[in-house]
Amino acid sequence: MLKYANTQAVGFKNRVERVAIVGAGGTLGSHIATELLKTGKHTVTALSRKDSSNKLPSGVLVAPVDYNDESTIVAALEGQQFLIITMAPTAPRDSQSKLFQAASKAGVPYVMPNWYGGDIEDVKQGEDTLLGPGGKANRDEIETLGMQWTAMCCGFWYDYSLAGGEQRFGFDFDKRSLTIYDDGNTKISTSTLSQVGRAVAKVLSLKELPEDENDRSLTVSAFLQRGIYIKSFVICQNDIFESVKRVTGTTDADWAVSHESTQERYEDGQTLVKSGNMAGFSKQLYARGFFPDDPSDFSAKAQNELLGLPVESLDDSTKVGIALVKELQLRVERMAS
């Protein structure tokens, strides 16, 4: 049933003002928090473990929580309108469920779960990458608890994937080597970390609900129970390589280039995962995204213009990615999964 602002209780403010973020000091969460604060429309509260060493963006409020004490999470979420979850792959498997349960008890109406990647409507690719069933279960749990969700469908993070080692976009900057999947011409949807942050801020800066049945303006409610689709670049490995060479002032002769079959890489990665070695997860995930006959390209659904997102510079984004290399190498849990 559609809800309208003019049918809400007296005192209702038709906007999302209070946002809680899990992982506000992390790889993606810091970008989301920063972009939300830039709007001047939101109070951003970071749910943070007492022993966390993450540095938070300036202006973010802190609510310390203990994941083994639900009352601390409920207390941190009371009064919040929107919960955004960005978690490392090494987080305990039940962490999201604990957050969902606490959010429901605290009366949080909206949740953005820890899904920042592929098309949630592409069931086959979700099954192949092993991410789909878990993501669906999370969204179902949110609904069962009486809340509503929206999911960020942004493709692989461009800058992060470029910096994150050979198992992602194929680049090893220390060795100056590149593994090209098949012929390197398969195009996929990608988004920079900054673009994801901007998209979240754009959505949450909209009116929460239409004013009445005649209001056709874009609202937060239009994105509930569905994905938000964005992109920065629709790009192939060969395009990325050309950008890397421009940015680094190198030529083909400076790089050791090899080719591998995406199918073989995918199967190798899956074998590692099934044996308990999660180092194979990224390998199978990215290889599956570059399958020539079914790539991870959902750019036709992109809502960039609808949200007023900027057109980005590929080479500038490549520079950002290369600058991330050393930072990610210090984060062992990111490089190993």
Side-chain angles (χ1 to χ4, degrees):
M1 181 177 178
L2 289 175
K3 288 204 238 175
Y4 300 105
N6 67 353
T7 63
Q8 302 306 301
V10 175
F12 173 74
K13 294 181 179 179
N14 195 16
R15 57 184 181 270
V16 174
E17 295 178 320
R18 301 175 301 282
V19 182
I21 302 181
V22 175
T27 302
L28 176 62
S30 59
H31 287 269
I32 293 175
T34 297
E35 293 297 331
L36 283 168
L37 289 169
K38 278 183 185 178
T39 69
K41 297 179 178 181
H42 312 282
T43 298
V44 178
T45 300
L47 272 63
S48 180
R49 296 187 310 274
K50 293 178 181 178
D51 61 348
S52 174
S53 60
N54 277 349
K55 183 178 179 181
L56 297 171
S58 177
V60 173
L61 306 178
V62 180
V65 298
D66 178 353
Y67 281 91
N68 295 315
D69 182 353
E70 185 185 59
S71 66
T72 66
I73 309 175
V74 174
L77 291 174
E78 283 179 348
Q80 299 294 333
Q81 295 170 277
F82 206 105
L83 170 62
I84 297 171
I85 302 174
T86 68
M87 304 182 85
T90 51
R93 288 183 178 273
D94 63 348
S95 295
Q96 277 210 93
S97 184
K98 288 181 177 180
L99 288 164
F100 298 156
Q101 299 281 341
S104 178
K105 291 177 181 178
V108 178
Y110 310 125
V111 179
M112 180 176 284
N114 197 46
W115 179 281
Y116 303 91
D119 183 354
I120 58 172
E121 297 175 353
D122 191 335
V123 176
K124 177 66 167 64
Q125 190 148 160
E127 291 174 345
D128 289 349
T129 61
L130 309 177
L131 291 174
K136 176 67 163 56
N138 289 332
R139 297 189 292 274
D140 288 348
E141 183 176 3
I142 292 168
E143 292 183 25
T144 299
L145 290 167
M147 299 178 291
Q148 293 181 286
W149 57 267
T150 186
M152 180 56 65
C153 302
C154 54
F156 295 129
W157 302 333
Y158 178 79
D159 33 4
Y160 172 87
S161 300
L162 181 62
E166 186 272 346
Q167 69 271 41
R168 293 183 170 90
F169 279 174
F171 288 85
D172 185 323
F173 286 94
D174 288 341
K175 296 179 180 177
R176 198 169 277 179
S177 66
L178 168 62
T179 302
I180 292 180
Y181 310 151
D182 301 321
D183 62 4
N185 288 323
T186 299
K187 292 185 180 291
I188 63 169
S189 301
T190 68
S191 298
T192 63
L193 294 165
S194 294
Q195 191 80 311
V196 177
R198 283 189 289 266
V200 173
K202 288 280 190 180
V203 171
L204 296 195
S205 295
L206 298 169
K207 289 188 294 187
E208 182 180 345
L209 303 171
E211 295 295 339
D212 54 38
E213 63 272 16
N214 298 315
D215 186 356
R216 297 290 180 265
S217 58
L218 195 61
T219 63
V220 173
S221 61
F223 294 94
L224 298 175
Q225 313 302 82
R226 65 192 65 187
I228 302 168
Y229 289 85
I230 69 165
K231 65 179 176 64
S232 291
F233 314 110
V234 181
I235 200 165
C236 66
Q237 278 185 297
N238 287 330
D239 294 333
I240 300 171
F241 189 27
E242 291 304 314
S243 178
V244 166
K245 286 184 291 185
R246 287 193 298 270
V247 166
T248 59
T250 57
T251 66
D252 288 348
D254 297 310
W255 290 81
V257 178
S258 60
H259 291 255
E260 285 189 19
S261 157
T262 49
Q263 184 66 43
E264 290 179 3
R265 284 182 68 87
Y266 172 73
E267 292 172 358
D268 288 346
Q270 290 249 310
T271 298
L272 287 170
V273 171
K274 289 173 182 176
S275 71
N277 185 350
M278 290 308 292
F281 180 75
S282 289
K283 188 174 185 179
Q284 63 88 27
L285 175 66
Y286 280 77
R288 179 60 185 86
F290 280 101
F291 271 17
D293 59 345
D294 186 22
S296 180
D297 176 13
F298 43 89
S299 54
K301 297 181 180 180
Q303 298 165 305
N304 289 44
E305 290 188 17
L306 185 68
L307 293 172
L309 296 174
V311 175
E312 297 165 282
S313 160
L314 175 59
D315 285 0
D316 286 348
S317 300
T318 297
K319 290 176 186 176
V320 172
I322 294 174
L324 267 178
V325 172
K326 296 302 181 186
E327 178 183 333
L328 292 185
Q329 287 175 344
L330 295 174
R331 300 173 66 177
V332 177
E333 79 282 1
R334 283 287 180 182
M335 298 302 290
S337 59

